[in-house]
Amino acid sequence: MARGRFILLEGCDRAGKSTQCAMLVAALKEKGYAVELCKFPERTTTIGQMINAYLTNAKELDDQAIHLLFSANRWEAMQAMKNKLREGVHLVVDRYAYSGVAFSAAKGLDLTWCKNPDRGLVRPDLTFFLDLPTSEAEKRGGFGEERYEKRELQEKVRHLFHELKGKEWVMVDARSSVQAMHETILKTALDKIQEAQNEAQSGELLEDMFIE
Ligand code: NYM
Ligand code: MG
């Protein structure tokens, strides 16, 4: 049995990631695939609750401290994610280490320093980057509710995402309709899953996030 595929959706705030993640999970399930949704930050854990307090402005933290908490929030999920992938379950993931680096570096932290705590996490097999101009994001409902949802910072984050673009990235124009985006994402994800199933070898996990 082939291992599950790690499919990530990344992007700036209000790009439509959560909607697309939910639609992708539902469509893959309907086709009979074992698939689960993961989300970062995962706000339900103890670390996640600290992150939530920071994002909702209930708590102040140094930039370095919150950066490390976001990373720890991924590491605390890692064993469970690896187990799922090895069991053949596909994971659809809403944000990951690219968000971690892009948001912290946008605040002025050193890029290499930002990557280091996430080094060695499982790397996604496929990353969709939902690209949306900041001027469009601002018009969408809810923008500005949380920390980081400010025009100037989002511009920097978007620029950094483009700099971080990895070889497994697929760019998606997030100005397209929800349905059009879904169709593109589903087709590409199915190709990736089927390509994996045709491999003679089931494939090892890619445990080399940010390791060149
Ligand atoms: N964010 C998210 C970070 O700053 N670092 C991270 O590692 C991750 C995963 O949290 N503005 C930021 C990006 C978002 C915010 O994410 C909350 P969401 O997807 O809106 O819950
Ligand atoms: Mg958000």
Side-chain angles (χ1 to χ4, degrees):
M1 183 191 63
R3 68 166 173 83
R5 259 45 198 175
F6 178 167
I7 302 166
L8 170 64
L9 275 76
E10 277 283 16
C12 289
D13 286 289
R14 308 294 146 187
K17 292 179 299 302
S18 302
T19 303
Q20 292 298 329
C21 280
M23 289 174 84
L24 180 60
V25 168
L28 291 175
K29 274 192 182 155
E30 208 203 53
K31 291 187 185 296
Y33 291 103
V35 53
E36 286 186 22
L37 176 68
C38 303
K39 171 167 178 41
F40 295 105
E42 171 49 66
R43 302 189 194 213
T44 58
T45 65
T46 305
I47 294 169
Q49 285 165 22
M50 293 166 78
I51 294 171
N52 184 60
Y54 175 80
L55 288 171
T56 55
N57 295 305
K59 187 177 172 61
E60 293 304 316
L61 282 168
D62 285 6
D63 292 340
Q64 289 84 347
I66 185 66
H67 181 77
L68 295 173
L69 288 177
F70 273 116
S71 177
N73 187 233
R74 284 182 279 281
W75 280 109
E76 67 178 340
M78 210 38 41
Q79 208 50 56
M81 286 174 70
K82 284 184 193 174
N83 290 344
K84 292 283 175 197
L85 292 169
R86 289 195 181 110
E87 285 163 17
V89 178
H90 304 295
L91 298 180
V92 172
V93 181
D94 188 344
R95 290 195 191 278
Y96 197 56
Y98 296 113
S99 276
V101 174
F103 280 83
S104 291
K107 294 195 285 183
L109 297 186
D110 177 74
L111 193 68
T112 304
W113 188 90
C114 289
K115 285 181 179 176
N116 275 338
D118 284 320
R119 276 170 66 97
L121 286 174
V122 173
R123 180 157 52 84
D125 295 292
L126 178 62
T127 296
F128 293 101
F129 182 72
L130 277 53
D131 198 21
L132 187 69
T134 311
S135 55
E136 294 294 318
E138 272 181 328
K139 291 183 204 152
R140 297 194 172 181
F143 185 88
E145 276 171 11
E146 285 202 331
R147 203 188 285 259
Y148 296 161
E149 294 185 354
K150 297 190 179 65
R151 189 194 181 106
E152 204 188 330
L153 186 80
Q154 294 282 328
E155 293 277 11
K156 286 187 191 154
V157 170
R158 186 171 178 228
H159 182 80
L160 278 152
F161 269 129
H162 282 269
E163 241 176 75
L164 292 169
K165 191 168 184 280
K167 55 180 183 281
E168 87 287 3
W169 281 38
V170 172
M171 306 302 279
V172 179
D173 186 344
R175 291 169 302 183
S176 315
S177 73
V178 169
Q179 193 55 35
M181 278 166 73
H182 172 61
E183 281 162 25
T184 308
I185 290 171
L186 178 60
K187 187 186 177 306
T188 312
L190 283 172
D191 285 349
K192 177 56 83 178
I193 288 170
Q194 277 149 14
E195 166 195 299
Q197 284 173 337
N198 294 336
E199 277 170 16
Q201 291 251 313
S202 65
E204 291 297 307
L205 297 179
L206 312 174
E207 296 180 79
D208 62 345
M209 188 76 206
F210 294 143
I211 295 173
E212 309 306 329

